[in-house]
Structure formats: C-alpha cells, structure tokens
Amino acid sequence: MPPLATTIQAHGTSGKDGLLVKLLHVVGARPNFMKAAPVLRAGRGARGLEQVLVHTGQHYDRAMSDTFFSDLDLPEADENLGVGSGSHAEQTARIMLGFEPVLDRHRPDWVVVYGDVNSTVACALVAVKKGIQVAHVEAGLRSRDRAMPEEVNRLLTDQIAHLLLTPSRDGDANLVAEGIPASRIRFVGNVMVDTLLHLRDRARERQMARSLGVAGGDYAFVTLHRPSNVDESQPLRELLGSLDDLSRRMPVLFAVHPRTRKRIAEFGMESLMERVRLLEPLGYLETISLLDTATLVLTDSGGLQEETTVLGVPCLTARPNTERPVTITEGTNRLVPSDRVAVGRAIEAVLASRAAGEFRPGRPEGWDGKAAERIIQALCHDL
Ligand code: UD1
C-alpha cells in the first residue's frame, strides 16, 4: 500500500493548499450516529472541506434511527440506501450493491467509516476496491472473540482501511501486533465522548428518571441485544431471571432492542418480565439522562461501557470479554457471565463498592471531547 501522503496527492486534493477535500461519512446502525455527529460538526467549520453523509438504512425504525438524527443534530443524510434487515450475507451484500453507485456519483477523497457494524465493513470493502481511501474511526478495538460479528467486522475493516483512527492506546498496540505499519495508525481519542460531553446538559434537562417516577431513589438501567445473549434461550433466561431478582430490590428499567423483544416473545419468556419496567428503545438524550442518575447499569452494549465510565456510574457488562478494556482498568465497568447467580453476586459487589464511594468518573487519555477535531485535522491537514 503506498504511503498516505502520496495517495492523496495522486487524487490531486489537499486541505493544506486550500484545495477541496471531500469526505463521505457512512452511518448505518444506532451506535454509528453518535460517532459521526461530532466529526461532521468539526468538519463544518473547516475551510475547503466538503462533506457527504450516507445512511445505509441498516437501522430504520424511528426509535433506532430518526430519533438519533434529531437528538444529535445530524443533518439529513444525502443518500439513504434503505437496506433494512436480513441475514449477515444479505444485509452486507445489499449495502455493497447500494453503496457502489453512490461512490461513483460523489467521488470522495475519503470514505469515513465508524465502529464495527455490518455497514462499516461493507462500505470499506467497496471503497478500497475502487481505489478510494478509507479512514476507520474507532479502529484497533479487539475482543479476541471471533464469534462476535463485530469482531470480524473490526478485523477486516482495519486490515483494508488506509488510516486507522484509534480511541485508546490499546487500539494502537493491537494494530501494531497485527503487523499494521505505525504510519497508518493515528491515536485520536474517543468521539463518543465528544458527543456525551457536548450533550450531557441537554440530556439532563430531559429528567427521564422523574418522568418514569424513579427520581431520587435507586434504579437499574438495562439494555441487552448481543446475539450471544439473546438469540439462545438459556443465556436470555438467565439474564431475565437476574432482572426479575433485581426488580425485588429496586426498579429495573429495561430499554428493549427489537431483536430482544422478538426473542422474548419467541421463547415465551414474558412472565420473567412482569416486575421489570419495559421501555421502547430510547433516543440518545433519553438514554444519557437515565444513565446519569442510575444506581447501576447492566448491559452488553459497547457504547454504554464507555458512557458509564465517563459518567461514573457502575456498569456490569454481561459478556465474557470486552474490546474496551480501559473501561475496566480506568473506568467503572466489570464483566459478568450471563448467569443468574453470577449476576446477582456481581450486583451485591457493585452495591457494596458504591456505598463505599469507590466509583468515580474515569477519563482515559483522549476522552476529552476533542477527538473529532483531531480526526478532521488528520484527514484534511496532516496527511
Ligand atoms: C447492530 C450491530 C451491533 C450494534 C447494534 C446496535 C452488526 C453486525 N451489529 O446489531 O454491533 O451493537 O446494531 O443496535 O452490524 N431491527 C428492527 N428495526 C431496526 C433495526 C433492527 O426491527 O431499525 C430488528 C430486525 O429484526 C433485525 C434485528 O433487529 O433483524 C437485528 O438488526 P441488525 O441491524 O441485523 O443487528 P443489531 O442486532 O441491531
């Protein structure tokens, strides 16, 4: 692969000389939106920069997509591929087919992909094969668990992207260990934290705990959607059982992903949910508002592990591993097996630590609200 600077010159564009740099940002699924929003915002002020936003349509429900566009002040997408749901092969193939003509129309200097969802790897693959440079935001994270679709997406995207923008130093180390030259790696920090810090006050104004009648007391906030937890009946039964146990001690607010809702119905597990407060998937501001004042969070989400670390809220992650180890070493996160007894014990331990004042907001290096500025700098000026 030629050095980056050479390839950009070959395209004939460089922010340095005041010429136009065109970035095409790809979003598709819920966790992409809060990562792209600050980069688009930082780019808006940059001279000589043109930006295009493409939504693959991987997520399409109002609650999984539109709400985030309005909460995050994202501009309307310039293109929506409308791919919707399907098997991994169907979804990935539809995204690739839909994306190719969009690239031909816009001919950007860079395609910027975010995170680890199917839209990320699909669009990265189309772009590199067409000779267009790809920058991967949130590069280098590894769970070392290839049974996770996201891990496969991360590995492949990082292998083919030209510029790997990492959120934490472990990301750099992982990439170097995979033989990726240091010249392709740039540590920029965590863009999700840019969004969190930018919108925290607006989120607090939502006062979600008050509207749900749990303000001032203990409550747990829960999300679960990983295939390994919800697609098989046994781990799902264990986790729902632990929510039932916990709901005898404090209100349990469970924002249910469409995948999980479908499985609960299919497995006939509604009775385990009788004491749990079921919520529709929440918007960004509603989620942060509830996280901010929760006693504890139980999740298998990637983003919530990071957000709870910054907010200083104890988080139990129902997974055997995490691609975000700094949330454990520097933050408030603990891993717990998807097992009713183990979750119960972990909750006891969390409540004891919390009573002892052991949870404090954690700020790993580069989680400072300025990651998006560093990304724009890297894409438009440094290279
Ligand atoms: C995807 C990402 C995952 C991310 C999650 C956040 C991949 C491989 N996975 O998983 O990393 O954490 O998004 O939500 O890309 N559905 C709807 N409405 C929607 C979207 C989905 O009803 O707007 C239902 C459909 O039944 C669909 C299922 O949810 O089949 C799963 O959606 P999909 O996009 O395949 O994966 P997620 O589980 O959302």
Side-chain angles (χ1 to χ4, degrees):
M1 198 171 279
L4 285 167
T6 325
T7 355
I8 285 205
Q9 271 156 19
H11 272 220
T13 58
S14 163
K16 259 188 217 145
D17 309 322
L19 296 173
L20 197 67
V21 174
K22 187 166 180 179
L23 305 182
L24 185 150
H25 303 268
V26 175
V27 293
R30 190 169 58 173
N32 293 153
F33 306 135
M34 49 289 233
K35 292 168 195 165
V39 184
L40 279 153
R41 197 172 54 247
R44 235 173 264 153
R47 203 161 47 87
L49 178 67
E50 187 182 343
Q51 305 195 89
V52 175
L53 179 60
V54 175
H55 189 341
T56 65
Q58 176 175 344
H59 284 174
Y60 45 88
D61 282 0
R62 203 185 140 61
M64 301 291 286
S65 177
D66 300 3
T67 308
F68 285 81
F69 272 69
S70 57
D71 280 359
L72 300 167
D73 294 325
L74 272 166
E76 201 183 324
D78 299 288
E79 307 269 359
N80 192 321
L81 311 182
V83 298
S85 302
S87 71
H88 283 266
E90 282 168 345
Q91 192 177 60
T92 309
R94 279 207 295 266
I95 296 167
M96 290 179 72
L97 285 171
F99 189 53
E100 183 163 40
V102 166
L103 266 191
D104 288 338
R105 252 197 318 280
H106 290 281
R107 304 195 49 74
D109 297 292
W110 286 96
V111 167
V112 187
V113 295
Y114 295 84
D116 55 17
V117 303
N118 286 345
S119 301
T120 310
V121 67
C123 293
L125 187 53
V126 173
V128 291
K129 293 261 184 122
K130 292 185 88 68
I132 296 174
Q133 310 206 89
V134 173
H136 183 205
V137 174
E138 201 186 85
L141 299 188
R142 296 290 181 270
S143 66
R144 300 193 168 74
D145 175 1
R146 292 198 185 188
M148 284 179 79
E150 294 82 1
E151 183 74 354
V152 177
N153 294 344
R154 287 190 280 260
L155 278 160
L156 296 179
T157 304
D158 286 342
Q159 277 300 317
I160 59 177
H162 301 78
L163 179 61
L164 303 175
L165 300 157
T166 61
S168 46
R169 294 286 180 189
D170 52 289
D172 300 36
N174 291 333
L175 295 170
V176 170
E178 287 169 19
I180 292 173
S183 58
R184 280 172 56 203
I185 306 168
R186 192 69 60 98
F187 170 74
V188 289
N190 190 329
V191 274
M192 287 257 300
V193 177
D194 290 14
T195 297
L196 178 59
L197 299 180
H198 182 63
L199 292 176
R200 188 170 47 186
D201 289 343
R202 251 174 73 193
R204 284 180 175 151
E205 286 164 16
R206 290 286 168 116
Q207 302 202 32
M208 282 294 287
R210 197 158 90 186
S211 20
L212 293 167
V214 294
D218 282 333
Y219 68 89
F221 179 64
V222 179
T223 77
L224 297 167
H225 74 280
R226 294 269 158 224
S228 59
N229 278 331
V230 308
D231 284 359
E232 302 289 330
S233 68
Q234 207 237 345
L236 185 58
R237 183 179 306 284
E238 294 285 320
L239 287 167
L240 298 186
S242 71
L243 300 189
D244 187 50
D245 297 340
L246 180 58
S247 64
R248 292 161 206 265
R249 297 183 61 158
M250 63 178 78
V252 174
L253 311 180
F254 183 9
V256 190
H257 186 286
R259 174 194 282 274
T260 312
R261 188 174 288 278
K262 243 169 48 183
R263 297 298 183 219
I264 292 172
E266 254 171 55
F267 298 139
M269 292 180 184
E270 290 90 344
S271 63
L272 282 168
M273 311 302 298
E274 274 161 12
R275 259 182 293 271
V276 173
R277 300 264 306 264
L278 299 185
L279 309 173
E280 292 301 316
L282 300 174
Y284 181 77
L285 296 172
E286 292 172 334
T287 302
I288 299 299
S289 169
L290 272 183
L291 282 183
D292 192 37
T293 50
T295 305
L296 69 98
V297 170
L298 175 66
T299 189
D300 54 14
S301 147
L304 261 58
Q305 297 174 54
E306 298 178 341
E307 287 152 353
T308 47
T309 276
V310 175
L311 294 170
V313 175
C315 178
L316 292 175
T317 299
R319 285 178 45 189
N321 49 54
T322 177
E323 61 289 329
R324 293 166 161 88
V326 290
T327 62
I328 297 176
T329 54
E330 298 182 43
T332 57
N333 189 21
R334 292 179 190 183
L335 299 180
V336 60
S338 303
D339 169 279
R340 187 170 185 161
V341 175
V343 173
R345 283 206 198 105
I347 288 171
E348 292 308 325
V350 161
L351 295 177
S353 303
R354 195 173 183 269
E358 285 171 17
F359 288 96
R360 306 222 180 289
R363 284 288 176 86
E365 183 189 355
W367 293 29
D368 58 358
K370 296 191 162 51
E373 288 170 27
R374 290 187 283 269
I375 290 171
I376 291 296
Q377 174 72 24
L379 288 170
C380 300
H381 301 290
D382 291 353
L383 300 172

